[in-house]
Amino acid sequence: MRFGVLSKDKFRVQTSNFKLQTAFGSLKFEVWSLQFALLLTLAGFWLPWLAARPAALQWNALELAEWATRLPQVRAGTLAGGKSLVLFPLVGVIWLAGLLVAMRINSRAASRAVIGGLAVLNAALLFPGYPFFLQVFDDPETRAQAALALGALAGFAALAAWSGRLPLRMAQAGLLALALLNLAAAARVLAAFGPALGALLPELDRPGVGFWLFMGGNALIALAAGAALVREGK
């Protein structure tokens, strides 16, 4: 009996697949867990970040960003960042979506299209609405918000353009770095604006479910990416 000889190209493909499988453990589980965590962070951004005893008084991150510009500390310049600081975590999530699309760990084009569509939709929602958009050249806050939205969209497009060509280890490191950045940015938002808003409205006395979902989703992504890097490094 004659045994077939494994060509160099086939060996390279099989080796690459082996690395992908070992880096992500059970590939199917890892794909769905990363996608689930991304959806969790997006849902968390739009759900309440600050909650009060009356259930009607709840603010999501976008509403918190609008109120941030009215705080006396922000107007006086003693509290830096303003609206841009509150909106930045969504930019990080949009870039995470770009990395997942670029990695192509899910072979289903429809699933990647859904992730991409959600990223573009959220980037569009970051743009100042009408008629505030007309003030983009006159108002610094509006200009900064438009710049954030453009940066989110440009970053997503740049990452998605690497689809199928982004080195796996680089993508894992990017997921870990962005997830940790999102965690730090969200914690900074609540630490900076929570007490200031609480002084004006004492009813806003605790983080809302949206904040915890946002933190939990990013923590899941960071853990998955970190574990993958450790496994691949062995």
Side-chain angles (χ1 to χ4, degrees):
M1 178 184 291
R2 182 181 178 185
F3 293 90
V5 179
L6 187 65
S7 70
K8 183 182 293 185
D9 290 340
K10 288 184 178 178
F11 177 77
R12 186 178 295 114
V13 170
Q14 290 183 5
T15 302
S16 175
N17 288 339
F18 173 75
K19 285 183 178 178
L20 186 62
Q21 291 284 349
T22 55
F24 280 95
S26 173
L27 185 61
K28 185 175 181 180
F29 171 77
E30 201 71 36
V31 168
W32 286 108
S33 64
L34 286 171
Q35 291 175 344
F36 172 75
L38 180 72
L39 293 177
L40 207 61
T41 59
L42 282 174
F45 183 85
W46 295 104
L47 288 172
W49 275 43
L50 283 174
R53 299 301 174 188
L57 188 57
Q58 295 183 346
W59 290 348
N60 63 23
L62 193 63
E63 292 164 335
L64 181 58
E66 292 299 329
W67 268 91
T69 60
R70 306 173 189 176
L71 288 173
Q73 297 91 327
V74 174
R75 293 185 177 275
T78 58
L79 188 56
K83 183 186 291 187
S84 299
L85 179 65
V86 184
L87 295 178
F88 181 78
L90 183 58
V91 177
V93 178
I94 292 169
W95 290 346
L96 279 175
L99 271 176
L100 290 183
V101 171
M103 290 171 70
R104 300 191 70 174
I105 55 175
N106 192 332
S107 58
R108 297 181 179 180
S111 181
R112 295 197 303 274
V114 169
I115 293 175
L118 285 172
V120 172
L121 174 62
N122 278 271
L125 291 173
L126 266 179
F127 277 97
Y130 181 84
F132 303 104
F133 184 76
L134 300 177
Q135 305 170 5
V136 69
F137 296 110
D138 302 319
D139 180 41
E141 283 285 350
T142 305
R143 188 161 55 247
Q145 185 178 349
L148 268 182
L150 286 173
L153 196 57
F156 171 79
L159 289 167
W162 278 79
S163 181
R165 295 178 293 153
L166 189 66
L168 181 62
R169 194 168 180 82
M170 185 183 297
Q172 292 164 348
L175 285 175
L176 177 60
L178 278 175
L180 292 176
L181 180 64
N182 288 343
L183 288 169
R188 168 64 177 156
V189 167
L190 223 60
F193 295 107
L197 285 167
L200 291 177
L201 296 170
E203 299 86 358
L204 293 170
D205 57 356
R206 66 186 187 277
V209 63
F211 174 79
W212 295 118
L213 286 177
F214 187 89
M215 298 293 278
N218 279 290
L220 284 175
I221 293 174
L223 286 172
L229 283 169
V230 170
R231 285 197 299 267
E232 189 175 334
K234 292 181 178 179

